[in-house]
Amino acid sequence: MFKIVAGLGENTNIKEAALAIKDFEVELVNCDDALIKAINNPNVDGVIRGSLSASNLIKSLKKANPNRPINRGTYIHSDDYDFLILPVGIDEGQSISDKRILIKQAFEFILKLGKIPKIAILSSGRCNDYNRNPNVDLSLKESEDLEKIINEDLSSDVKFNEIDYTVKNYYILIEQAINDKNNIIIAPDGIIGNYIFRILVLLCKWPSYGAVTLGIDEIYIDTSRNQSKEGYIRSLNLAYNLAKMKKNRKL
């Protein structure tokens, strides 16, 4: 039977979510050290943050994997499709180099789910907004450079030659990127990505599966401490489904 470990903090919705699960075992722990141990435990199939603060967990993961870039992408469910928004860590996606790695990780995650990657790149303004604000100019230029670089990266990788992926710069038009059903949406930086997550999920109540941790083999989903019971159930089920896919790939 699959085993998922989740953090139990002040928000007891995670406890109610765990009790609602019937298809796999959910173990609740009450400190981030226990979550870290669970991630490194081969007998644990997946870990979710639950309602713990877990402020040191991502730092610990990065420290334990100094040569492996670790990022997070919030996996959101809209009316009729799912998509990743990233970066969402305020210290992630700070350069084009960072975003190249992040996009590759997101690309591979979407492929694992059996979906065709559709990548939307965002910036801080429209394409005709040059010379209005120097910071916006930098963001526009970076988004245009990133679109070109990602297309070059993917087209030169023989693994992806048969995949009908798309890469498009939507500039500031996030609404169009979502309406066009892109499943990878790249924010200008982690701060803006974090705002997008909070507005869509915490304010507008779009269903979220939590923030998937990319760059590690282990399954860790970073959930909000303010999530609903239904939100935690989605995260637990995602961890379970990812664990099943991981096991099947090894068979």
Side-chain angles (χ1 to χ4, degrees):
M1 190 174 190
F2 286 88
K3 179 179 180 179
I4 307 297
V5 172
L8 175 61
E10 294 181 3
N11 183 355
T12 57
N13 284 335
I14 182 62
K15 185 175 182 179
E16 294 181 22
L19 290 172
I21 296 296
K22 305 301 180 185
D23 296 332
F24 52 94
E25 178 186 355
V26 180
E27 178 185 335
L28 298 175
V29 297
N30 56 14
C31 67
D32 54 356
D33 285 342
L35 285 181
I36 294 170
K37 289 179 181 178
I39 291 173
N40 296 317
N41 185 343
N43 295 317
V44 173
D45 299 292
V47 177
I48 78 166
R49 173 183 172 185
S51 58
L52 282 177
S53 63
S55 58
N56 295 321
L57 201 146
I58 291 295
K59 291 180 182 178
S60 297
L61 284 176
K62 291 182 177 181
K63 185 176 181 181
N65 300 275
N67 298 318
R68 298 167 66 185
I70 295 174
N71 296 289
R72 286 165 291 170
T74 296
Y75 197 39
I76 296 176
H77 178 69
S78 72
D79 288 341
D80 55 0
Y81 88 108
D82 302 329
F83 62 94
L84 276 175
I85 178 72
L86 35 86
V88 291
I90 61 172
D91 57 344
E92 297 170 2
Q94 298 184 63
S95 67
I96 286 182
S97 178
D98 291 342
K99 291 191 183 77
R100 287 176 75 179
I101 295 170
L102 192 144
I103 290 172
K104 182 180 179 181
Q105 292 171 335
F107 194 97
E108 292 175 346
F109 175 78
I110 292 296
L111 285 178
K112 287 178 184 177
L113 297 180
K115 302 175 186 290
I116 302 299
K118 293 185 65 178
I119 302 167
I121 297 169
L122 301 179
S123 66
S124 298
R126 291 176 177 266
C127 59
N128 58 356
D129 281 338
Y130 273 105
N131 301 318
R132 293 179 59 184
N133 180 305
N135 292 326
V136 172
D137 288 354
L138 289 173
S139 179
L140 293 172
K141 179 66 164 57
E142 182 177 278
S143 70
E144 292 167 351
D145 289 344
L146 184 61
E147 180 187 22
K148 180 180 178 181
I149 289 168
I150 295 303
N151 271 309
E152 291 173 351
D153 285 348
L154 295 175
S155 63
S156 63
D157 195 323
V158 294
K159 293 185 298 183
F160 306 139
N161 285 349
E162 303 300 319
I163 300 172
D164 191 25
Y165 64 84
T166 59
V167 183
K168 182 177 178 180
N169 188 353
Y170 282 81
Y171 296 93
I172 203 172
L173 304 178
I174 184 174
E175 71 281 8
Q176 186 176 335
I178 292 174
N179 287 337
D180 288 346
K181 294 183 170 53
N182 289 278
N183 50 29
I184 299 173
I185 298 179
I186 305 300
D189 57 46
I191 296 172
I192 295 177
N194 198 282
Y195 270 118
I196 294 171
F197 150 70
R198 291 179 180 279
I199 292 168
L200 292 181
V201 175
L202 300 182
L203 184 60
C204 297
K205 306 302 180 183
W206 284 32
S208 168
Y209 298 90
V212 179
T213 304
L214 307 170
I216 59 173
D217 294 329
E218 297 79 13
I219 296 167
Y220 173 62
I221 299 175
D222 193 0
T223 53
S224 169
R225 284 173 286 175
N226 299 319
Q227 187 57 275
S228 64
K229 170 187 171 181
E230 292 74 20
Y232 285 133
I233 289 174
R234 283 192 297 272
S235 297
L236 287 166
N237 281 320
L238 176 61
Y240 170 58
N241 289 327
L242 291 174
K244 287 195 296 183
M245 286 188 286
K246 180 179 178 181
K247 182 178 181 180
N248 290 334
R249 287 197 299 271
K250 291 182 177 180
L251 294 178

